[in-house]
Amino acid sequence: MTEALEKLRQEVRTWLEANAPRNWRETCTSHEAFLDTQRSWFAKLVEGGYGVPHWPAEWPGGGRSLAEQKVIYEEFARADTPRLLLSFMSTYHAASTLFEWGSEAQQRKYIPRILQGEIWCQGFSEPNAGSDLAGLRTRAERRGDVYVVNGQKLWSTMGQFADKCLLLVRTSDERAKQAGLTYLLLDLKTKGVTARPIRQIHGDEEFAELFLDDVEVPVEDRLGKEGQGWAVAQSTLSSERGLTLLELSARLRGSLWRLAALIRDAGREADPGVLRDFGRLATKIDATVAIADQFLATRIAGEERVGDASLVKLTYSRTLRDFTSLGIRLGGMEAQYHAPIVFGGGMETGNWMADFMNSYAWTIAGGSDEIQRNIIAERLLGMPREPKNWTLAGDVA
Amino acid sequence: MTEALEKLRQEVRTWLEANAPRNWRETCTSHEAFLDTQRSWFAKLVEGGYGVPHWPAEWPGGGRSLAEQKVIYEEFARADTPRLLLSFMSTYHAASTLFEWGSEAQQRKYIPRILQGEIWCQGFSEPNAGSDLAGLRTRAERRGDVYVVNGQKLWSTMGQFADKCLLLVRTSDERAKQAGLTYLLLDLKTKGVTARPIRQIHGDEEFAELFLDDVEVPVEDRLGKEGQGWAVAQSTLSSERGLTLLELSARLRGSLWRLAALIRDAGREADPGVLRDFGRLATKIDATVAIADQFLATRIAGEERVGDASLVKLTYSRTLRDFTSLGIRLGGMEAQYHAPIVFGGGMETGNWMADFMNSYAWTIAGGSDEIQRNIIAERLLGMPREPKNWTLAGDVA
Amino acid sequence: MSLTRAELQDAARKAFGETGLAPDAEQSWALIADLGWLMMSVPEALEGLGLGAVAAGAIHSEFGRVLMPGPAIAQMLAIEALAAADTLAVRDELIARAMAGEVMTASLSGAVDGRLTCVPDADRASQFLIVSDARVSLMPRADAGMKVTPRETWDRTRRLFDVTFEHNADGLVLAEGAAALALAERLRAQLLFALAGDSLGGADAILQLTVDYLMVRRQFDRPLAMFQALKHRVADMKTVLSATEALFWARASAPAPSLADMGALKANATTVYRAIAEEAVQLHGGIGLTMEHHCHLFLKRAMLNCALGGDADRWEEAAGRQMLAQAVA
Amino acid sequence: MSLTRAELQDAARKAFGETGLAPDAEQSWALIADLGWLMMSVPEALEGLGLGAVAAGAIHSEFGRVLMPGPAIAQMLAIEALAAADTLAVRDELIARAMAGEVMTASLSGAVDGRLTCVPDADRASQFLIVSDARVSLMPRADAGMKVTPRETWDRTRRLFDVTFEHNADGLVLAEGAAALALAERLRAQLLFALAGDSLGGADAILQLTVDYLMVRRQFDRPLAMFQALKHRVADMKTVLSATEALFWARASAPAPSLADMGALKANATTVYRAIAEEAVQLHGGIGLTMEHHCHLFLKRAMLNCALGGDADRWEEAAGRQMLAQAVA
């Protein structure tokens, strides 16, 4: 087993030496360059057989165990390849949901196109349904063979570049909010769809807002039954199996040289306070790598508990914030001058203010830190859930 | 006005030079020495006219404005006199409550004895009613001319040394928990009263537990009407007018030399990290003094808002924790060796572990930090109160 | 003349309450001059208002509250330096022009290396204050030999420049020798005080906006303000802010605060501003991450304020060193 | 022999689950020897169990969990040092006696100044390990010329002593020269690792006790565990603890962790222990402030663990220095 993994590691490493894109950090300063890099890198990976290692064995490039996937991603991090941002939703969220809920016809229609580079985005969040997804309001009304959809979606990752969308809509107003949801596969070229990129505070546009105005979706593009949307969405949300944070922690570990360089540039190698803060951060990063690693091992062993993923996400997001904060502190005034961002450059590009602001994506998106704390307290520690119904106190504090 | 205050300051200073006890920090290593020091110092203050400056003018030693009291307490801090721990409840809590709610007969009976050194304690908290005072369960049943009291009280400051007790009891089980409370004046020599000192984690015994077993309290020793206890208790709780924290912040400021000495002893004068932490703490202490000062000014001007006191208490308690923590850190292994505590030595004696543990009295007692945060959020910032009634959530996190 | 803190705050809020956050630079500059705020600390003998540090603190705090653009802090430094140049013939005229709104700027960097960086609105300034321990001088805009380089910051509410003068020209000397040293210290202290005020005003504004948002924004069928974990975080922010505000006003009226005292105040105030702005982004959730919302404006200005005038590392160390020297049993 | 972490934890909890916190020193010491835990890392050739760092980590963690008294950490250091003395004639006999429970102790101070401080149970020890970079030796108890001074700590779960030997006796030399240097480094790393394990076990125990308390204790007509602000604080504690535990096990099985790595781990683990013990006292409220409750035992042991073996300041600086040397683009 371990020998086979070591063999795979060597294979991947050799392949990456020949195929990994170079200098992309210098060139990706426009959306166009970013899209080009992402598309050609994904195509090359598919060709090499490393594009979708997590897919079932019956699909080309699939059939790798989690342990094998871990090796592959560790090598990606080591080679500092571009992260697969553009195709991430397609190969994980869309594919996994289709594998679990799609009819054979739906799978045959959509899966091969993903390998050819078709891009999916996710249409779950809404302006008034962020952390509280069950409260979403985008309506779909069935009229004969189509659903007519009206509403607005937010935070669709890469939505402005996507071809298709995993769309969660409300088809009825039953008392249990989840029961009224239905899951649709939306072609974004359909009439009535408008995608508008969301300008983030550091200047990137990784997300889009989708406006849906009398958009017709054929009933055959429904995943699962009407009213089953919540269950289908759970598949989508749990499709990523813990590799992302392993990869990101490894990349964070590999970026410590940026802070070391700053310490040297600032001539603060002899400042014990700075050394201690740096040492503490490095240790925290090692701990983040360790917990991500342990989490994956738990998953591989089939022993994951609800809440374990929250521990990893919370740890990573705090560590990333600390990392970028220390960069800003050491960078001093220099860090306050604006520098253009590297599109798709990842979480630690050395553009400290941009990286710092980008780190909020991790403490807010994908279940905010606050939601993760609820999950840890309630699911891992067995504390009571939040009250469901309540009345406000009167004159007693 | 300012001139008069300056004159007072000189008067007090001169008086203190002649009368302030010396060396009490060295001698107060037993309860006996502590009690002696406290009693003789209070007697001397009463004699000098500085024992109860906050009392109404009709009582000897009273009639000082808040501004004058501030000057007096600043001078006490400056001279590092023993804090008036033993008589504090008597001169503030008991006296203020008696002034506001006591009949003429009750005032004539009890007030002069306070000046003679009679010690009062407070019997409010209970094992199951800490932060939630309204939930107390100690029962008093009226039988003819007496109330028969059964129950248990906790955290009575100096209860084991006290003569009398301000006792809050339940006389009925009405729906609004506060409405069933009644306020009694209990002579602790009454049959059925047992006082047991509570051993605190740093070794001091500043508090007592009171066990009340068929204790008879004459009806004439009731303050206010039956069922009015909650309102009377509010007077007790608000009797301290903001001077304590001003005095304590000033004493904290005056104790920074202890940390400076530690830094020098540890040879860390050139460690920028330590200097920064020390500088940050010193600034935080200055801010604590400033907010305590501002709070008193607001009270003097009659412009206090509900919640202002919480800001001061929370600030002081966190600053004290930081102060003692830095002492432990700089003290290293030396700070871990046990040293006998100074009874009544105040919050910063240089016995770092003892001081550190004692600082929890400020984050827990007298309304924990958590209660203060509720008050600030709800009363100062207008956020909703905690829910009164609630049902737990079902399957939705 | 005498104006209370409350009166000044009231006037500022009336003037800028309706223009909204980060108002138009040109219009607000004209308004600031009109309202006489650039005359604030100028002695009455020189046609100023002769108000002290408390008044200046109130004004800078109000500027911070609305994310005021423009060179107000630098301008006040230039005016202060001019007012100190007793024997200078052109002084009164220059002060009058400055009070009327002619831009005279200065470095906000807090660096003592003599370079002229972090100079606000240098492109439209007529005069440049140059401060060193040996000499304080005013350099007029020159058509030749002067280089004004815009340095775009993440914070767009300020416009900073690097400035160099090719020929080592002397400019107008305002102070030399011991007088220069004393003036330089005072100017540095004032810069730190102004940045602290700006930060506290900004912190208070974004804290209030955050509370407002929590009261309105609903998740899980209730306003976010009902979640105790969020209430407690907001309460903690309110507490640290209140303590720092108290320190600010105490130092504003202290008889002789040292440079390290002012630096520690500035470090404290900017640290609090940054912490509150960070919490504001987090508590606003997704919307706080977009350019559409105002959270990021406060966050970026907070971060810039942390760096201007010397950072917390520098001033906390200085305060520690000072306290170590002072604190003796 | 092979025992998994889970098996060891299981055995420990069976053995100590019923004796309660801070069990009787003499009884538990006998039990530890009986269970073979002092043989843990002794090679099988020397009649030990030949288990590695993971097993030792599990044991120290369980000791921390029950606030185990006694000299277990020191004893294991002495045994480890003996095992390294290949050529020593009396080695096997000494190891056998030590594994059987005869107390051989060592300093836990982590200081490198050669003084023998923080020596647990020195009053009942037969041998004293003395470690320097040049020589590692074992000093037998001497009736004359030896001074054993009890040093009472705030933490009463450990009994520490200062030890001096009047005549500069040599004792039994276990290693010298390069071998001594390597052994000294290994012993220091093991001390740090043991203290980290002790801390994580203690932190996990007091965190669980705190959650239990919050579930039971009611205020305002509901269990404290329903207050979200408290839930979030507990969740944060659980998170930092879990990450540090993951690091602990990762370093336990890492091929060659450096001394600085182990020091940084120990700094991290003790900082987390202290933070959790502090929160435990706060969340227990009044009862946590009394000697009647067990909170203070954990708090005091956490604080002592912070100081033993070198504090966070020392090891974080060392880790920073190491990373600065390693981290190159």
Side-chain angles (χ1 to χ4, degrees), chain A residues 331-352:
Chain A
M333 188 58 216
E334 218 37 60
Q336 295 303 313
Y337 291 121
H338 184 269
I341 56 168
V342 177
F343 289 94
M347 307 310 297
E348 54 285 314
T349 67
N351 185 341
W352 296 106

Side-chain angles (χ1 to χ4, degrees), chain A residues 178 268 271-274 276 329 378 384-397, chain B residues 178 268 271-274 276 329 378 384-397:
Chain A
Q178 293 89 340
R268 298 182 76 170
D271 181 330
V274 167
R276 286 194 288 265
R329 174 177 158 209
E378 295 168 10
R385 308 243 176 133
E386 289 299 301
K388 191 167 189 176
N389 298 306
W390 39 267
T391 57
L392 287 182
D395 56 343
V396 188
Chain B
Q178 293 88 337
R268 298 182 77 170
D271 181 330
V274 167
R276 286 194 288 265
R329 174 178 159 210
E378 295 168 10
R385 308 241 175 136
E386 289 300 300
K388 190 166 190 178
N389 297 306
W390 39 267
T391 57
L392 287 181
D395 55 344
V396 189

Side-chain angles (χ1 to χ4, degrees), chain B residues 128-255:
Chain B
N128 287 303
S131 294
D132 179 17
L133 194 57
L136 65 83
R137 293 183 196 169
T138 291
R139 292 213 61 100
E141 219 172 292
R142 172 131 186 202
R143 291 194 203 146
D145 283 350
V146 298
Y147 286 99
V148 180
V149 186
N150 280 286
Q152 186 185 348
K153 291 291 178 179
L154 259 186
W155 305 116
S156 289
T157 307
M158 306 281 153
Q160 67 272 44
F161 308 123
D163 306 296
K164 298 280 188 297
C165 174
L166 305 167
L167 189 68
L168 196 59
V169 294
R170 180 165 302 288
T171 41
S172 100
D173 286 317
E174 299 196 30
R175 214 184 151 79
K177 294 189 298 185
Q178 293 88 337
L181 303 181
T182 296
Y183 199 108
L184 303 176
L185 306 174
L186 167 67
D187 186 331
L188 288 168
K189 285 175 221 71
T190 313
K191 186 164 163 281
V193 177
T194 315
R196 194 173 67 94
I198 298 174
R199 187 109 189 278
Q200 289 162 263
I201 57 179
H202 65 304
D204 202 348
E205 296 175 349
E206 286 184 306
F207 304 99
E209 205 168 0
L210 301 177
F211 299 90
L212 306 170
D213 185 15
D214 279 336
V215 172
E216 297 191 357
V217 179
V219 171
E220 66 190 47
D221 283 339
R222 190 186 65 213
L223 222 49
K225 297 187 186 144
E226 192 170 299
Q228 232 177 358
W230 184 256
V232 183
Q234 297 314 307
S235 296
T236 310
L237 293 171
S238 64
S239 63
E240 197 281 315
R241 305 284 306 278
L243 285 161
T244 301
L245 283 172
L246 189 78
E247 183 194 352
L248 286 173
S249 323
R251 286 182 186 254
L252 200 54
R253 186 70 173 74
S255 301

Side-chain angles (χ1 to χ4, degrees), chain A residues 256-257 259-264 268-270 275 278, chain D residues 318-328:
Chain A
L256 272 168
W257 66 268
L259 290 173
L262 267 188
I263 292 173
R264 283 186 214 105
R268 298 182 76 170
E269 301 99 320
L275 288 173
F278 184 51
Chain D
R321 212 175 286 284
Q322 169 181 281
M323 186 50 64
L324 194 61
Q326 285 173 1
V328 183

Side-chain angles (χ1 to χ4, degrees), chain C residues 8 22 29 103 111 120 147 188 199 238 270 286 293 303 310:
Chain C
L8 274 166
W29 184 250
V103 175
K147 212 170 128 196
R188 284 173 197 140
S199 299
K238 176 70 181 171
T270 51
H293 202 270
M303 299 302 253

Side-chain angles (χ1 to χ4, degrees), chain B residues 30 93 135 145 185 250 315:
Chain B
S30 71
H93 298 67
D145 283 350
L185 306 174
T315 301

Side-chain angles (χ1 to χ4, degrees), chain B residues 126-132 155 177 196 198-203 209 268 271 274 321 325 328-329 332-339 341 351 353-354 356-357 360-361 363-364 368-371 373 386-388 390 392, chain D residues 109 117-118 151-156 160-162 217-223 226-228 230 233 274 277-279 281-293 296 299-300 303-305 307-308 311 313 317:
Chain B
E126 295 185 4
N128 287 303
S131 294
D132 179 17
W155 305 116
K177 294 189 298 185
R196 194 173 67 94
I198 298 174
R199 187 109 189 278
Q200 289 162 263
I201 57 179
H202 65 304
E209 205 168 0
R268 298 182 77 170
D271 181 330
V274 167
R321 182 70 43 80
S325 283
I328 289 177
R329 174 178 159 210
M333 188 59 216
E334 219 36 60
Q336 295 304 312
Y337 291 121
H338 184 271
I341 54 167
N351 185 342
M353 276 287 285
F356 172 78
M357 288 187 275
Y360 277 91
T363 52
I364 290 173
S368 68
D369 281 4
E370 289 73 26
I371 297 290
R373 289 191 190 103
E386 289 300 300
K388 190 166 190 178
W390 39 267
L392 287 181
Chain D
S109 82
T117 59
C118 306
R151 298 295 309 270
E152 193 188 347
T153 50
W154 283 97
D155 173 29
R156 302 288 172 91
L160 301 186
F161 297 79
D162 286 349
R217 169 79 172 170
R218 297 175 71 85
Q219 292 275 279
F220 303 104
D221 300 321
R222 71 206 71 176
M226 272 200 61
F227 289 96
Q228 198 194 35
L230 308 188
R233 281 160 65 177
R274 175 184 163 169
E278 284 196 51
E279 278 284 61
V281 170
Q282 181 68 26
L283 294 179
H284 274 77
I287 187 75
L289 288 183
T290 70
M291 290 283 195
E292 288 171 46
H293 201 268
H296 74 106
L299 180 64
K300 290 167 182 170
M303 299 302 254
L304 181 57
N305 281 4
L308 291 176
D311 68 5
D313 273 4
E317 184 178 334

